[in-house]
Amino acid sequence: MARKPMMAGNWKMNNAIGEAVVLTQEISNNWWKDWEDKVEVVICPPFVDLKPVKTVLEFDKTKIFVGAQNVYWEEAGAFTGEVSVPMIRECGCDYCIVGHSERRGLFGETNEDVNKKVRALLGGRLKPIVCVGESLAVRDEGTTNEYVCAQVKAAFAGVDAEDAAKCVVAYEPIWAIGTGRTATPEQAEEACAAIRAQLAVLFGEETAQAMRILYGGSMNPGNVDALVAEPDIDGGLIGGASLKCDSFIQLVKAVMQ
Ligand code: PEP
């Protein structure tokens, strides 16, 4: 089954509202109607930028999706500093990144938290982009596939195949994020193929073949072609290279079929 490729930009904690609007407008100006069938593009800005970014895209009628970088699983209440699924949906989100290694590493997010977020998003009709990835220590130990498959299993606990099919998985080796050190296409493919095999165990072959698996970790216009040529890599989750219109558009074009 042909999977529509995806390029998702994770702006992290960059771009205040003014800069976010300018960058979105630049990206929107480069958008062509016929791209719609060939690639799904997602912009994931900080919470405060969600509505302004969505407004630019709606005004331009540009078919680019908006995603949040995080969410809390409760709907409302005394959870100071948190933002709920209905709140990000109201800002125009279709997607939300969950379990990014920076959230796991810097903010103590556990596999259980990731699972609660995945289920809350699906319950609120939003699509999770579930991040998994190993540290350098795990890779050196030779247990990468087991490690990322355990993360996948935990993230999707209690999720059925119909809901899983709406999700995207991003394989992001921690040692490659923001370091300029990319996984080789062979390393990335091996992990993505193991993830797809795990998804098949959980949800059946048909669902696993329909789900998109992205690679993330210092992807840039120089290395994208070799990475997305791999059979189990369906696009990218992009940090640094998504902060400039030029490089982001080059990545979008590289993944179009
Ligand atoms: C990321 O933040 O998910 C990421 C992959 O970052 P970078 O592209 O900068 O390595």
Side-chain angles (χ1 to χ4, degrees):
M1 167 191 288
R3 296 179 289 269
K4 191 194 258 193
M6 171 180 279
M7 272 292 157
N10 173 17
W11 289 1
K12 312 195 186 195
M13 200 173 70
N14 294 294
N15 294 330
I17 293 173
E19 298 159 307
V21 166
V22 169
L23 179 53
T24 305
Q25 189 64 69
E26 281 177 349
I27 294 168
S28 180
N29 291 347
N30 278 275
W31 180 255
W32 292 95
K33 179 94 183 76
D34 65 335
W35 291 8
E36 226 173 89
D37 301 328
K38 298 179 183 157
V39 59
E40 208 165 321
V41 178
V42 186
I43 296 175
C44 302
F47 286 128
V48 294
D49 296 339
L50 289 171
K51 189 73 184 164
V53 163
K54 182 71 181 180
T55 302
V56 171
L57 297 171
E58 274 178 348
F59 186 82
D60 283 2
K61 298 191 171 51
T62 309
K63 200 91 196 292
I64 293 176
F65 296 94
V66 176
Q69 298 172 15
N70 185 29
V71 77
Y72 193 59
W73 55 80
E74 296 288 351
E75 285 220 349
F79 304 102
T80 303
E82 295 295 333
V83 174
S84 71
V85 172
M87 289 170 181
I88 61 170
R89 195 178 52 225
E90 200 179 324
C91 289
C93 286
D94 283 289
Y95 286 94
C96 181
I97 298 171
V98 186
H100 191 281
S101 61
E102 286 153 16
R103 295 227 52 90
R104 293 179 192 256
L106 300 173
F107 302 102
E109 198 161 295
T110 65
N111 277 336
E112 290 69 35
D113 296 339
V114 172
N115 177 246
K116 284 183 190 163
K117 292 179 183 193
V118 166
R119 287 189 289 144
L121 286 162
L122 289 166
R125 303 185 309 283
L126 262 75
K127 292 176 260 189
I129 300 173
V130 180
C131 299
V132 298
E134 82 289 2
S135 65
L136 201 50
V138 169
R139 176 154 287 274
D140 289 345
E141 238 172 57
T143 54
T144 294
N145 292 353
E146 292 83 348
Y147 187 86
V148 295
C149 287
Q151 286 182 316
V152 167
K153 235 172 126 177
F156 287 100
V159 174
D160 64 21
E162 195 185 337
D163 272 345
K166 299 168 192 155
C167 301
V168 176
V169 178
Y171 167 60
E172 299 207 305
I174 298 170
W175 47 272
I177 296 180
T179 58
R181 187 177 160 190
T182 322
T184 64
E186 295 74 25
Q187 286 171 324
E189 170 58 21
E190 191 190 337
C192 291
I195 290 168
R196 199 175 300 287
Q198 178 64 64
L199 293 170
V201 170
L202 295 173
F203 305 117
E205 191 59 34
E206 199 182 329
T207 301
Q209 287 301 327
M211 289 176 72
R212 283 170 297 192
I213 302 177
L214 312 180
Y215 168 78
S218 299
M219 194 185 250
N220 61 51
N223 59 30
V224 63
D225 288 338
L227 286 160
V228 300
E230 295 292 343
D232 287 293
I233 302 178
D234 304 312
L237 179 57
I238 318 296
S242 72
L243 294 173
K244 292 267 178 293
C245 175
D246 202 37
S247 47
F248 189 55
I249 292 293
Q250 282 185 62
L251 291 169
V252 171
K253 285 183 178 168
V255 86
M256 281 198 296
Q257 290 170 336

